Amino acid sequence: MTQTPSQSNPSTKTPILRLKNVTKTYRNGTQALRNLNFDIYPGDFYLLTGASGSGKSTLLKLLYGEDRPTEGDIWVDNIHLNPLKGNKLAHLRRRLGIVFQDYKLLPRRTVAENITFVLWAQGYGRSEIDRRLPPALKMVGLLHKAESFPEELSGGEQQRVSIARAIVATPPILLADEPTGNLDPDNSRQILNILKQLNKIGITIVMSTHDESLIRASDLPILQLTNGQLSRVNR
Ligand code: ADP
């Protein structure tokens, strides 16, 4: 399947994520992705589904430049990702917020420090950091936990911190790799609702999941990976 799915009207917008003939073959010979072609437009929110091993993480890793395609080309926000390295790649990554299944919080840092660390690293000043932190915490309902440490939080709260960290620098794109994979149904729904709110304010989102009940309960468009091939699911 090599079609070009889109929620929006392609004639009026430029894609914010574009894959052209993308194939990924790992060194051991595993072909994780086969000739993917698709465009995602500003404001889209896709669920990326597929069985374990179907290529979801591989696809997201290619989109945030953690790994490179064996063949084909990727554009993020109109920038050709393939040739980027070092500072240029780091700079492009600022256009992407990333959320992982296992939160990846710094255990010895408070919630506030975890969220603002990325801003320090990007050279933001104190006043700008102080201005950005409260709305990010508020968006995920954790203003009251700013001074807590990750181990003092539930899994759902930790994932909400990682979402706040992902959006505090206001990236236009959010990539979430199985963000509800470690959470119970209530917390999973809460995470999905937060992501929907973020999408409403304009952030383009691709979220991978193999949680069937979450997929059924949401009306979001679905991109399905099957043995490394991508198709848009009609429902
Ligand atoms: P998913 O996220 O859908 O579970 P992955 O993208 O992790 O799928 O994996 C897709 C395929 O690529 C699987 O067959 C997996 O075993 C393989 N794979 C993933 N990472 C590597 C790697 N670093 N080296 C070799 N094979 C890999």
Side-chain angles (χ1 to χ4, degrees):
M1 180 78 195
T2 57
Q3 68 150 357
T4 302
S6 161
Q7 244 180 296
S8 325
N9 179 356
S11 64
T12 58
K13 287 188 191 172
T14 312
I16 196 163
L17 292 172
R18 163 162 274 191
L19 273 83
K20 206 160 189 305
N21 302 327
V22 167
T23 291
K24 175 67 186 176
T25 309
Y26 284 107
R27 276 199 205 123
N28 65 2
T30 303
Q31 197 173 41
L33 301 174
R34 296 158 205 257
N35 195 34
L36 303 195
N37 288 280
F38 71 87
D39 292 339
I40 290 182
Y41 289 84
D44 285 352
F45 186 165
Y46 279 106
L47 292 181
L48 177 64
T49 70
S52 182
S54 59
K56 303 183 294 298
S57 293
T58 301
L59 174 53
L60 291 173
K61 277 184 193 155
L62 296 190
L63 288 174
Y64 60 80
E66 174 77 19
D67 206 345
R68 286 168 193 273
T70 321
E71 288 171 52
D73 295 284
I74 300 175
W75 288 265
V76 174
D77 215 5
N78 266 327
I79 296 170
H80 193 202
L81 189 65
N82 297 53
L84 299 187
K85 285 186 210 157
N87 276 347
K88 284 189 175 159
L89 181 59
H91 210 261
L92 182 70
R93 280 211 183 124
R94 295 182 188 179
R95 315 287 294 153
L96 302 162
I98 306 167
V99 175
F100 300 98
Q101 177 171 354
D102 60 357
Y103 327 131
K104 299 202 192 298
L105 301 178
L106 300 168
R108 290 173 203 280
R109 303 284 181 175
T110 64
V111 164
E113 288 166 344
N114 264 282
I115 294 169
T116 56
F117 187 78
V118 56
L119 298 178
W120 286 113
Q122 290 182 20
Y124 284 77
R126 177 84 256 172
S127 63
E128 182 62 13
I129 289 174
D130 288 346
R131 191 182 71 75
R132 283 173 177 263
L133 177 63
L137 278 168
K138 202 169 170 204
M139 177 56 107
V140 298
L142 288 176
L143 259 180
H144 59 300
K145 298 281 186 182
E147 298 311 318
S148 299
F149 287 88
E151 67 178 16
E152 298 168 332
L153 304 179
S154 71
E157 288 171 333
Q158 290 187 54
Q159 191 55 295
R160 280 147 59 196
V161 174
S162 97
I163 292 171
R165 178 185 56 190
I167 55 140
V168 72
T170 50
I173 305 162
L174 185 72
L175 303 175
D177 193 356
E178 296 271 3
T180 65
N182 289 343
L183 302 178
D184 62 34
D186 277 352
N187 276 300
S188 297
R189 270 194 298 276
Q190 202 174 10
I191 294 297
L192 188 62
N193 285 337
I194 290 169
L195 296 183
K196 282 183 172 173
Q197 291 303 317
L198 292 171
N199 178 244
K200 271 196 190 138
I201 60 171
I203 301 181
T204 303
I205 301 181
V206 181
M207 166 183 155
S208 74
T209 179
H210 62 260
D211 181 339
E212 285 297 336
S213 57
L214 203 63
I215 294 165
R216 271 197 305 275
S218 97
D219 54 1
L220 294 167
I222 295 174
L223 292 173
Q224 181 157 33
L225 271 167
T226 312
N227 296 326
Q229 294 195 295
L230 193 68
S231 56
R232 167 100 192 244
V233 176
N234 291 319
R235 55 176 180 168

